[in-house]
Amino acid sequence: MEAAVMASSRHLVSVRAAALVQMERPQMFAFSVHWSDGSDTFVCRNWDEFRQLQTLKETFPVEAGLLRRSDRLLPKLPDAPLLSRGGRVGRGLARLRLLETYAQALLATVERVSRSPVLTGFFAPQARDLESALPPGSTVILPAPEEPSPRPLDSLTIHSLEAQSLCCVQPFHTQDTKGRPFHAEARESLDVLLRHPSGWWLVENEDQQKAWFPAPYLEEVAHEVGLTQGSSGTQFCISRAYKGSRADELSVPAGARVQVLETSDRGWWLCRYCDRAGLLPSVLLQPERLGAFLSGPAILGREDRENKATTSSPPVPTRPLLSAIQSRCCTITRRALVWNSGPHNPP
């Protein structure tokens, strides 16, 4: 009952395109959804599900213009051309942008539509959205940013949906994408630009040097309880709603994303949700299936951090050929990699 009340008391605030997910089944379109209670969720929907959402016109005939065309408020859902540039991936990315515009247009209509149970239920997390892993063979493709760039039009740069800063656990020396020395010291912060499944990630330091770097040497460290409001932590989602029964516990709706600040083997993890830190049962927390890909390595508990300081260097994964990396990138990313690499192209 409490979970139902918690879910019904919130409404959609914004829906943003996150990624295109290619899999054996129909393409899935991932969105980051922000709710009125301050929570954020990742949801995946396919094209046919969005087409079914157009049944809103049956629920709201006036706003759909069925009675008088001039009264129409509901937006139409356009489709990308069948022969889009970039093939199936190009069309999928075009559809992703169209769906984002369509969702934002729905939220901009009158409240009886934007806050209706039909629209709220459509973007509410489903069971598949709470799974901890994507189906085998899935490929996540991030949309290119649309903001104008001060760089020349023939210049390319590598972007991710949201560059994440991780710490280097031990000193490591390699070469940057232009063949120059690249030195990372322990506890140095590096921005992750691209994550390759081989374990070699493209990073950038404060001097704007880009280099392929072994992922085992990067970590996001959990902080202590007395952390400031701007602290970061690994994103998890909660599998079902939880109502806190004590002052030091959090109340969180199902599917909400929380930041895990510190883990424990006692069954309760310190988390941050809506600018408030508190405890949640660890059994309800699981890595987001998209968040696990878009975020960095798992965080370490306090004992893990103390033990790791005395262990040997992390293993360095086998460094793949550049062609192996490019084969899993879209055309835009491949062109950006060539532009940033110059005459030298490690790995």
Side-chain angles (χ1 to χ4, degrees):
M1 179 65 70
E2 290 175 345
V5 172
M6 190 181 302
S8 62
S9 61
R10 63 177 186 166
H11 59 268
L12 293 163
V13 174
S14 66
V15 177
R16 299 292 181 185
L20 170 67
V21 183
Q22 294 267 64
M23 55 183 66
E24 294 181 359
R25 295 174 293 177
Q27 288 177 323
M28 301 295 288
F29 304 93
F31 297 89
S32 177
V33 182
H34 184 64
W35 298 86
S36 58
D37 61 357
S39 62
D40 294 280
T41 56
F42 269 126
V43 299
C44 284
R45 302 291 181 265
N46 61 42
W47 182 258
D48 289 338
E49 288 171 328
F50 268 97
R51 287 175 60 87
Q52 295 172 9
L53 183 59
Q54 293 187 93
T55 55
L56 281 169
K57 62 185 180 182
E58 300 174 2
T59 308
F60 304 101
V62 175
E63 290 79 1
L66 298 182
L67 304 182
R68 190 165 55 187
R69 187 172 299 179
S70 59
D71 292 337
R72 183 182 180 99
L73 296 176
L74 295 182
K76 295 182 179 180
L77 176 60
D79 197 357
L82 183 60
L83 299 178
S84 299
R85 183 178 181 182
R88 183 168 181 259
V89 172
R91 190 187 190 203
L93 290 172
R95 279 181 161 182
L96 180 65
R97 289 300 187 193
L98 290 173
L99 291 175
E100 180 185 50
T101 302
Y102 176 67
Q104 292 174 347
L106 285 173
L107 295 182
T109 59
V110 293
E111 284 191 4
R112 66 187 302 261
V113 175
S114 63
R115 301 187 182 185
S116 65
V118 177
L119 197 58
T120 302
F122 181 82
F123 286 104
Q126 301 177 5
R128 69 184 181 201
D129 299 318
L130 302 178
E131 295 175 0
S132 58
L134 290 168
S138 298
T139 302
V140 179
I141 304 171
L142 306 183
E146 295 184 330
E147 294 79 5
S149 172
R151 298 169 62 94
L153 293 178
D154 59 349
S155 166
L156 292 172
T157 185
I158 296 175
H159 294 276
S160 68
L161 185 67
E162 184 176 320
Q164 183 188 26
S165 293
L166 299 178
C167 288
C168 183
V169 297
Q170 291 189 25
F172 191 83
H173 307 289
T174 183
Q175 289 184 330
D176 68 7
T177 56
K178 296 184 179 180
R180 300 172 300 183
F182 185 95
H183 305 291
E185 301 297 333
R187 314 314 307 160
E188 180 178 348
S189 179
L190 298 174
D191 289 337
V192 179
L193 304 180
L194 275 175
R195 300 174 176 86
H196 189 262
S198 65
W200 284 86
W201 292 358
L202 187 66
V203 301
E204 184 178 55
N205 61 16
E206 292 184 352
D207 297 329
Q208 296 186 336
Q209 274 187 288
K210 297 180 178 69
W212 293 101
F213 205 83
Y217 274 75
L218 299 170
E219 72 173 10
E220 183 175 5
V221 181
H223 300 270
E224 303 302 327
V225 178
L227 205 84
T228 60
Q229 185 170 342
S231 311
S232 62
T234 297
Q235 294 279 1
F236 277 65
C237 72
I238 188 163
S239 59
R240 62 180 176 85
Y242 180 77
K243 180 71 173 178
S245 58
R246 296 172 47 178
D248 60 349
E249 297 178 10
L250 296 175
S251 295
V252 183
R257 298 159 61 193
V258 300
Q259 292 176 309
V260 175
L261 305 178
E262 188 170 309
T263 62
S264 170
D265 57 2
R266 298 181 180 179
W268 292 87
W269 289 4
L270 179 65
C271 304
R272 183 176 298 281
Y273 171 72
C274 292
D275 297 328
R276 181 173 178 263
L279 298 175
L280 284 172
S282 59
V283 69
L284 300 182
L285 296 170
Q286 59 187 26
E288 301 174 290
R289 63 178 191 164
L290 273 178
F293 178 86
L294 298 175
S295 301
I299 63 171
L300 301 173
R302 184 186 307 164
E303 294 182 1
D304 296 324
R305 297 199 303 272
E306 294 172 352
N307 293 336
K308 188 164 187 174
T310 61
T311 59
S312 59
S313 300
V316 178
T318 302
R319 198 165 188 166
L321 297 174
L322 180 63
S323 58
I325 294 178
Q326 291 179 333
S327 66
R328 296 179 65 96
C329 298
C330 65
T331 302
I332 295 175
T333 303
R334 285 199 297 268
R335 291 174 59 198
L337 285 172
V338 173
W339 178 273
N340 283 272
S341 296
H344 300 279
N345 245 336

